[in-house]
Amino acid sequence: MAPGLVETVADRTVDQKTEEVTKDKRQAEYKEAFAQSAKSTNYEGELKGSAKHPPAAYPHYLPYWDDVTYPPLEPFEAIEHGKDADPSFPNLLGNADVTDVTANIGAEVKGVQLSKLNKAGKDELALFVAQKKVVAFRDQDFADLPIQEALDFAEYYGPSHIHQASGAPKGFPRVHLVHRSADDTTAHDFFQERTNSITWHTDVSFEMQPPGTTFLYLLDGPTAGGDTLFGNMAEAYNRLSPEFQKRLHGLKAIHSGHEQAVNAKARNSVVRREPVSNVHPIVRTHPATGEKALYVNPQFTRRIVGFKKEESDYLLKFLYDHIALGADLQARMKWEKGSVIVWDNRITAHTAILDWQDGQRRHLARLTPQAERPYETEWHE
């Protein structure tokens, strides 16, 4: 009997080591605090509620994963509507109450209904968001609109991105969902492996034409916590010395979606499209404001083209630390019922914050119009 017992323990130890090695490989370059899949979604509790929590307020927005695959995204000619906007914003802010969140990033707006904007108002929205970087519009009706109407509004700014791995409402693969079921306490498991949930990124920067003006609206949320932190990447660039800025110009980096796909497969989720990598400038220019902004992030940027690995890691680490430590160029945006937060993915980075562990549901929908391929303009001191 003794040899058998030793064998069993040894086998279990090998299995545990294998699991740890696999986990380490998945976590090496890609960190997910809000990973989701059909397996992690408690559909019964979401539809019927539980002893502690009510049913989902918007069950038609619950995430589903099907086996449908999609072809590669096609290049298109992007239109920057911010270029056509009246900079005094009469159609957007004529009757609005605007409060700045900080001195260099973020605003809160009340008194305007986004879904009712005319063309001029939509153009002004693009420019206003580019200037403020991120704006929380309160008392909005996006969540109560038919899903297709919400999509139609967002697609004024560009064709919707279809996420390669996230869940989507049935019949609407162009809607990206951020969802954590009620009674889900896996945050505790996450913090067994990590000291924090911060994952600075710019959405799907690995695509050839990543998103521009982006919309995220609340469906359900915890009474406290679950905020989203945004960073001003134009100001991050401006803080660098002229000589350092000059050195960054002309450099390009590889952005990869492969790690996200690997992680999706590892949790038995779907990958809707073959993952891609693309090369983008480290400093990009905004087409409406002309601002230059840093365009790297630790989630998806992998390597600086032409640098050896150690050289690339060294420079990227400096830039990542610069972004993460810059509390004086960040805004913590709070969610409340009826909120639509709009930001410009080209000149910001953001991270969700996993700071509640009481099992309250967090459920949001993102509309993600694609924009131009990142480009840089000539450097001037």
Side-chain angles (χ1 to χ4, degrees):
M1 292 296 292
L5 288 174
V6 171
E7 244 174 57
T8 302
V9 172
D11 289 344
R12 187 180 300 129
T13 302
V14 169
D15 290 342
Q16 288 173 341
K17 287 182 178 178
T18 301
E19 181 182 347
E20 290 299 319
V21 169
T22 302
K23 186 189 301 180
D24 287 344
K25 285 181 177 178
R26 293 205 310 266
Q27 293 179 346
E29 291 184 312
Y30 188 74
K31 176 182 177 182
E32 280 189 316
F34 288 84
Q36 54 183 351
S37 67
K39 185 178 179 181
S40 68
T41 303
N42 178 8
Y43 289 103
E44 183 174 358
E46 292 300 272
L47 293 170
K48 298 179 180 179
S50 69
K52 293 183 178 180
H53 303 289
Y58 294 89
H60 59 297
Y61 268 104
L62 287 176
Y64 291 90
W65 289 260
D66 53 36
D67 294 328
V68 178
T69 56
Y70 294 88
L73 296 175
E74 294 290 336
F76 67 97
E77 184 176 353
I79 299 173
E80 177 48 53
H81 292 287
K83 290 181 175 180
D84 301 324
D86 182 336
S88 66
F89 308 113
N91 299 279
L92 177 67
L93 303 178
N95 299 308
D97 178 20
V98 181
T99 304
D100 286 334
V101 176
T102 79
N104 61 44
I105 177 174
E108 182 179 74
V109 176
K110 297 180 180 179
V112 59
Q113 191 61 250
L114 292 179
S115 65
K116 302 297 191 288
L117 290 176
N118 58 19
K119 180 182 181 302
K122 292 177 184 178
D123 292 345
E124 291 168 18
L125 176 63
L127 181 60
F128 183 66
V129 171
Q131 290 179 355
K132 294 295 184 181
K133 310 304 182 282
V134 56
V135 183
F137 289 89
R138 307 300 187 189
D139 306 316
Q140 299 298 304
D141 63 3
F142 264 46
D144 298 312
L145 294 174
I147 294 177
Q148 187 58 54
E149 283 190 27
L151 274 168
D152 290 344
F153 178 92
E155 289 181 347
Y156 176 76
Y157 300 95
S160 291
H161 178 262
I162 297 179
H163 198 279
Q164 66 178 358
S166 74
K170 285 184 177 179
F172 295 96
R174 293 174 293 169
V175 176
H176 167 74
L177 294 175
V178 179
H179 178 262
R180 183 176 289 270
S181 298
D183 295 315
D184 183 335
T185 56
T186 54
H188 177 269
D189 300 330
F190 177 82
F191 286 119
Q192 297 299 306
E193 300 291 336
R194 296 284 191 172
T195 60
N196 66 78
S197 62
I198 303 303
T199 53
W200 284 106
H201 66 285
T202 297
D203 290 328
V204 296
S205 63
F206 50 80
E207 301 290 8
M208 181 182 293
Q209 292 181 254
T213 307
T214 305
F215 303 81
L216 185 64
Y217 48 102
L218 183 71
L219 303 167
D220 269 312
T223 52
D227 303 340
T228 306
L229 189 62
F230 287 84
N232 182 343
M233 295 301 97
E235 183 61 20
Y237 171 80
N238 292 337
R239 296 282 177 87
L240 300 173
S241 67
E243 284 302 314
F244 203 94
Q245 292 175 349
K246 185 178 180 180
R247 182 64 191 90
L248 293 181
H249 273 272
L251 295 182
K252 298 180 184 295
I254 299 168
H255 295 243
S256 171
H258 292 269
E259 295 78 9
Q260 185 182 74
V262 167
N263 274 262
K265 290 179 179 178
R267 61 177 182 268
N268 296 316
S269 189
V270 301
V271 176
R272 296 192 179 94
R273 194 171 56 248
E274 283 297 313
V276 299
S277 296
N278 276 288
V279 175
H280 299 311
I282 285 180
V283 177
R284 70 179 296 179
T285 302
H286 193 281
T289 66
E291 283 186 301
K292 297 178 185 296
L294 294 180
Y295 198 66
V296 293
N297 69 88
Q299 281 291 87
F300 302 124
T301 309
R302 292 290 163 256
R303 188 166 179 167
I304 299 173
V305 176
F307 278 33
K308 294 182 178 180
K309 183 179 186 329
E310 293 83 357
E311 297 166 342
S312 175
D313 290 348
Y314 188 83
L315 181 51
L316 287 176
K317 183 180 186 304
F318 168 80
L319 294 175
Y320 298 157
D321 288 347
H322 175 52
I323 293 166
L325 295 173
D328 50 0
L329 48 82
Q330 298 170 7
R332 184 164 176 154
M333 307 298 284
K334 291 188 173 297
W335 292 97
E336 58 186 58
K337 182 176 174 59
S339 293
V340 176
I341 291 183
V342 190
W343 71 97
D344 197 314
N345 254 303
R346 296 167 288 193
I347 46 177
T348 59
H350 63 276
T351 175
I353 298 174
L354 178 55
D355 59 351
W356 81 104
Q357 300 186 37
D358 58 3
Q360 290 189 76
R361 178 184 299 108
R362 186 174 186 266
H363 190 191
L364 304 99
R366 190 182 80 200
L367 308 177
T368 319
Q370 294 175 256
E372 77 283 352
R373 186 168 190 171
Y375 67 92
E376 63 177 323
T377 52
E378 186 177 352
W379 181 80
H380 294 287
E381 188 171 353

